[in-house]
Amino acid sequence: MTDVALLEQLCSSDDDSELYKEFVKRFIKELTTHCADACKKRNLETHIGKQIAHETFARVRHYKSFKTDQIKLPDQHDAIIVYLKRISFSLFNDHHNENKKKPIPHRTYFDDILESSYDNFSGIDLKDKKDFALFIFNKLNKKEQAVILADIEHKKFQKYLPDDITEQLCGQLNVKKDTLRKIRERAIEKIKYAINEFNEN
């Protein structure tokens, strides 16, 4: 059976298990090599290429959308490879777009300050990190606490606070953006001072 005839039967049959095995067998090596090369160009781990190669075959089997008029090359085998590469290219783009949507955690200065202090933290008077953080946090006034809480909540997934959160915070505290920045700076200094004060005791 020719490659095109095999693919046509695969796309027109409900009982396609044997046809699918044969189709994968004929093209898996070339498609896996292509996907591995694509991973190198895109700086992706090799296992992603193997996964996309298998997803490409699964998509062909699931959608059964191949049409003979899609063959543009004289060599049928090469034409089907081009067809498979086009599907894999779409899957690579899907993978890229999905990863772009995933938020990247960012450390806040509050995380850095507390972590740097743990080495010097004896734990005699305060039992755990939660108590220690609470001890430091209580050194701040209510406006400073509100700013730090907003930073902790939102800056884990982005470097800067979103404009709408900043405006909401300004409205909540009845302050301007410049004042908000000063409150944040003052809060950081208080946190550092409180840590130093505790470590000296």
Side-chain angles (χ1 to χ4, degrees):
M1 189 185 299
T2 67
D3 292 334
V4 170
L6 174 62
L7 182 52
E8 284 180 321
Q9 282 201 33
L10 175 64
C11 291
S12 61
S13 174
D14 292 328
D15 183 16
D16 63 1
S17 296
E18 293 304 316
L19 293 168
Y20 182 69
K21 286 179 185 176
E22 178 61 26
F23 181 69
V24 171
K25 181 181 175 182
R26 291 189 190 186
F27 293 95
I28 185 67
K29 185 176 180 180
E30 289 167 276
L31 187 62
T32 301
T33 299
H34 162 72
C35 290
D37 291 340
C39 283
K40 288 179 183 177
K41 291 177 183 176
R42 293 171 180 250
N43 292 319
L44 298 173
E45 294 180 14
T46 53
H47 73 87
I48 294 171
K50 291 178 182 177
Q51 179 182 331
I52 286 177
H54 287 287
E55 285 180 12
T56 299
F57 288 114
R59 184 166 286 197
V60 171
R61 184 184 194 184
H62 177 75
Y63 289 106
K64 298 183 181 294
S65 59
F66 175 78
K67 305 294 181 188
T68 309
D69 58 13
Q70 291 177 281
I71 296 293
K72 304 295 183 184
L73 299 176
D75 187 293
Q76 291 185 353
H77 186 87
D78 289 345
I80 292 175
I81 285 293
V82 170
Y83 169 70
L84 293 174
K85 285 180 178 179
R86 193 161 61 241
I87 295 172
S88 71
F89 179 76
S90 175
L91 289 170
F92 271 110
N93 285 341
D94 289 346
H95 175 80
H96 174 73
N97 292 333
E98 280 300 312
N99 280 350
K100 275 176 65 177
K101 291 177 185 177
K102 292 178 182 177
I104 301 173
H106 288 279
R107 294 176 60 81
T108 66
Y109 46 73
F110 196 60
D111 294 324
D112 293 332
I113 290 169
L114 287 178
E115 186 176 281
S116 65
S117 68
Y118 292 146
D119 292 336
N120 300 320
F121 177 44
S122 66
I124 296 173
D125 298 315
L126 300 175
K127 294 179 181 178
D128 54 31
K129 293 179 181 180
K130 182 179 178 182
D131 290 334
F132 184 43
L134 192 59
F135 168 80
I136 301 299
F137 192 67
N138 285 335
K139 295 287 186 178
L140 308 178
N141 64 38
K142 288 188 177 181
K143 286 187 177 180
E144 292 163 349
Q145 288 179 354
V147 172
I148 293 297
L149 282 175
D151 282 11
I152 291 172
E153 182 177 355
H154 295 282
K155 282 190 176 180
K156 285 191 180 299
F157 299 109
Q158 47 206 344
K159 191 172 181 181
Y160 302 103
L161 286 183
D163 290 339
D164 59 326
I165 299 298
T166 299
E167 289 173 9
Q168 182 182 329
L169 202 53
C170 287
Q172 177 188 333
L173 302 178
N174 194 27
V175 299
K176 296 180 180 179
K177 285 186 179 180
D178 286 344
T179 305
L180 192 68
R181 178 177 52 80
K182 291 176 183 176
I183 291 173
R184 180 178 288 108
E185 290 172 355
R186 190 169 65 239
I188 295 170
E189 289 305 312
K190 280 190 177 182
I191 292 169
K192 290 178 179 177
Y193 181 82
I195 291 172
N196 290 334
E197 180 186 36
F198 180 81
N199 286 334
E200 288 172 1
N201 292 334

